[in-house]
Amino acid sequence: MIDTSSATPISAKLPRPRFRLPLVGDILTTDFAKPCQRLATQARELGPVFEQKLFGYPAIIVTGVEAVEEVNDESRWEKHVGHALTKLRPLTGDGLFTAYNSEPNWAKAHTILAPAFTKSAMDNYHGAIIDTVRELADVWSAASEWIDVPETTNKLTFEIIARAGFSHSFGSLADSHSGSFVEAMVRELAYANRRTDVLPLFDKVFRRDDRDRHKADLTHAHAVVDDIIEARKGHPHREYRDILDLMLDCVDPETGERLDTVNIRNQILTFLVAGSETSANTIAFALHYLSTRPDIAANVRTELDDRWPTADFPDIRYDDVAKLRTLRRVVDETLRLWPTGPGYFRRAKQDTTLSGRYRFAKKDWVLVLLLAAHRDPAWGPDADQFNPDRFLPDNIRGLPPRVYKPFGTGPRACIGRQFAHHEIAVTLAAVLHQFDLESDPGYTLDVRQTLTLKPVDLRLRAHKRRR
């Protein structure tokens, strides 16, 4: 969240944290392990728009629902990739998530990939999703020890997108360790989130081993995906046209151009890294709440048991998922408290103002901190609490517009959000139908930040339900 541009106030200076120091800025009030959680706490004191400055670089943080609605206005603001996501570009290049607005491959890829997330396409992927979740249930049925939930859900969603989207598997979920490719992707997310890149000399001298590992992981990841692409050329997936087939075969109707091989690699890595990580974390957070709130879990199980009353693994059909409204509210509330990313960046398309108090020049940018905006008092006095009933129709209608944005906003919002919702819902439905969840009584939710928000040290025991 660092750049050289800044906002000029019209009538007042931007609020800022106390104890700012020369040169290093707000280092005393920054939590480098949990930066966005700290910013969300500061927002309650500093207000809906404030400034943080680190090592001479300012960032404007937007958290209030009215200010968020303003910067979501596509006539005045647009997506900004931002410093944090730029650090992922060595891996994903001009993929959908990290492409700059000016790069032509974004619009081309978005047009070509749009059919990959239609209802009919999602129906095609459903079988692979079910098979992978069934594999997870088999692993959990045999497990007697505590389950590392984030590690397990990460492997699950990684396999789901690989199998459903690219007809490729990186290994069985029963493997005790992740494959080298999956491990490399996790390390790349951590490396991209490092804070020391603003101190190049420090990075070069004291993080040499990390930099060397990053280069090796990057080479390995590119080689693996390039092999997947080459193996598919001339041998399309026979059961249905998957995401890789679309990227290889389809052309942009406006330009008549295809995606080049490097961009196809970037798109695959984007889906594998960004797509799997966000869904995995959402499933993990939801399982935490469902294990610690047996009343809510019981309500979901009632909905599931009415539809699938036997103890067998549920025969979940594609059209069933949209009907699981109690479960959907659980997912929506999980994404409210812990959105897929802690925030997103917006950039002014023209000289403009914000909140009637601050002037922004063209290309000045802000960070919309969803972690705070989703807990704004507009959500009610219990905004920090897990309450799926918040998403009952009568309740949600009372919210201000354009407040809930867990997958971003505008034309560059996450293209795979329907896929994510579907795999999350199928996983939670199967797990709650098959298992009673035992939480660790000594555990308090601890959330760390890479490019996403992830619960750490979250363990559960899964006990086969008895009927």
Side-chain angles (χ1 to χ4, degrees):
M1 65 182 76
I2 300 171
D3 208 315
T4 57
S5 58
S6 62
T8 302
I10 294 173
S11 59
K13 291 184 178 180
L14 283 161
R16 69 184 198 185
R18 293 180 293 170
F19 312 119
R20 178 172 290 179
L21 300 176
L23 300 179
V24 295
D26 298 319
I27 190 170
L28 295 180
T29 54
T30 298
D31 186 335
F32 287 94
K34 303 179 180 181
C36 287
Q37 291 174 75
R38 175 61 177 153
L39 288 172
T41 300
Q42 290 174 317
R44 298 180 179 183
E45 172 190 350
L46 298 174
V49 183
F50 65 97
E51 179 193 67
Q52 181 193 63
K53 182 179 287 187
L54 290 172
F55 306 106
Y57 297 99
I60 311 306
I61 316 301
V62 177
T63 65
V65 294
E66 292 85 3
V68 171
E69 184 178 358
E70 281 193 66
V71 299
N72 283 347
D73 180 357
E74 292 293 325
S75 69
R76 295 191 294 148
W77 297 80
E78 63 185 355
K79 172 169 174 165
H80 178 51
V81 172
H83 182 75
L85 295 185
T86 298
K87 293 189 290 185
L88 197 60
R89 279 181 63 94
L91 179 67
T92 60
D94 59 352
L96 287 172
F97 193 48
T98 48
Y100 299 127
N101 294 331
S102 59
E103 291 181 303
N105 272 340
W106 178 80
K108 187 193 306 183
H110 193 273
T111 300
I112 288 173
L113 284 167
F117 300 101
T118 61
K119 181 178 178 180
S120 60
M122 289 298 305
D123 197 3
N124 286 333
Y125 309 143
H126 181 73
I129 295 173
I130 287 291
D131 289 345
T132 313
V133 173
R134 187 191 299 271
E135 193 174 308
L136 174 76
D138 291 341
V139 171
W140 282 21
S141 293
S144 58
E145 302 300 322
W146 290 100
I147 297 166
D148 184 325
V149 176
E151 179 184 10
T152 303
T153 57
N154 196 264
K155 289 174 64 176
L156 169 74
T157 57
F158 200 91
E159 273 299 298
I160 284 175
I161 185 60
R163 297 179 188 184
F166 314 117
S167 308
H168 182 87
S169 175
F170 289 96
S172 168
L173 297 183
D175 294 341
S176 57
H177 301 287
S178 299
S180 61
F181 183 83
V182 181
E183 293 171 347
M185 295 302 93
V186 172
R187 286 194 297 266
E188 280 297 283
L189 277 173
Y191 185 79
N193 195 56
R194 73 197 187 284
R195 308 293 176 195
T196 55
D197 64 300
V198 296
L199 301 170
L201 182 60
F202 179 95
D203 225 24
K204 183 176 181 180
V205 174
F206 295 101
R207 299 202 64 172
R208 182 179 301 173
D209 290 345
D210 291 340
R211 190 175 69 254
D212 290 345
R213 169 62 75 177
H214 157 68
K215 291 179 179 178
D217 286 340
L218 203 59
T219 299
H220 177 55
H222 287 173
V224 169
V225 175
D226 285 345
D227 286 345
I228 293 172
I229 295 170
E230 287 303 314
R232 177 63 63 86
K233 289 180 177 178
H235 299 86
H237 183 241
R238 300 299 182 186
E239 188 175 343
Y240 56 85
R241 178 179 278 192
D242 65 9
I243 295 174
L244 181 51
D245 284 335
L246 284 173
M247 290 192 289
L248 285 170
D249 299 340
C250 294
V251 299
D252 179 358
E254 291 189 9
T255 65
E257 296 176 352
R258 299 177 185 270
L259 297 179
D260 61 77
T261 300
V262 172
N263 186 256
I264 292 174
R265 175 220 286 164
N266 292 338
Q267 305 301 350
I268 292 175
L269 286 167
T270 296
F271 285 121
L272 289 174
V273 177
S276 68
E277 179 82 3
T278 51
S279 294
N281 295 344
T282 302
I283 294 168
F285 280 121
L287 290 174
H288 165 74
Y289 287 115
L290 290 165
S291 68
T292 56
R293 291 291 305 273
D295 55 327
I296 295 174
N299 289 338
V300 177
R301 288 196 179 97
T302 297
E303 178 178 67
L304 299 174
D305 291 347
D306 285 347
R307 190 170 293 273
W308 301 289
T310 70
D312 297 334
F313 187 90
D315 181 22
I316 304 174
R317 301 184 185 278
Y318 174 77
D319 289 336
D320 292 333
V321 177
K323 301 171 185 176
L324 302 175
R325 293 183 174 86
T326 304
L327 179 61
R328 176 58 185 260
R329 290 195 290 273
V330 167
V331 175
D332 286 342
E333 178 70 346
T334 301
L335 286 167
R336 183 187 70 84
L337 285 174
W338 301 108
T340 55
Y344 53 86
F345 298 91
R346 300 286 285 171
R347 184 174 66 184
K349 298 168 72 172
Q350 60 197 35
D351 292 354
T352 187
T353 61
L354 179 59
S355 299
R357 303 178 66 190
Y358 308 110
R359 180 181 294 117
F360 285 76
K362 183 178 180 180
K363 295 189 178 180
D364 282 348
W365 62 267
V366 301
L367 168 65
V368 175
L369 187 62
L370 287 178
L371 199 57
H374 282 183
R375 301 175 187 228
D376 187 272
W379 289 92
D382 64 340
D384 285 325
Q385 304 302 312
F386 185 75
N387 177 17
D389 284 349
R390 196 184 317 276
F391 283 88
L392 286 168
D394 287 344
N395 295 334
I396 202 67
R397 278 194 288 268
L399 290 173
R402 292 194 278 191
V403 171
Y404 182 64
K405 295 288 183 178
F407 291 96
T409 190
R412 293 202 58 181
C414 176
I415 194 174
R417 55 193 177 272
Q418 295 302 324
F419 188 101
H421 268 297
H422 194 76
E423 65 177 330
I424 291 166
V426 168
T427 301
L428 293 175
V431 167
L432 286 178
H433 184 272
Q434 292 292 287
F435 302 102
D436 289 315
L437 303 174
E438 177 188 350
S439 62
D440 183 344
Y443 180 72
T444 300
L445 184 61
D446 184 15
V447 180
R448 299 296 171 92
Q449 181 180 335
T450 55
L451 292 177
T452 60
L453 297 164
K454 179 186 287 291
V456 295
D457 300 325
L458 172 59
R459 305 186 307 163
L460 297 175
R461 278 197 175 104
H463 303 284
K464 191 72 174 177
R465 287 182 68 197
R466 299 182 182 277
R467 290 175 173 81

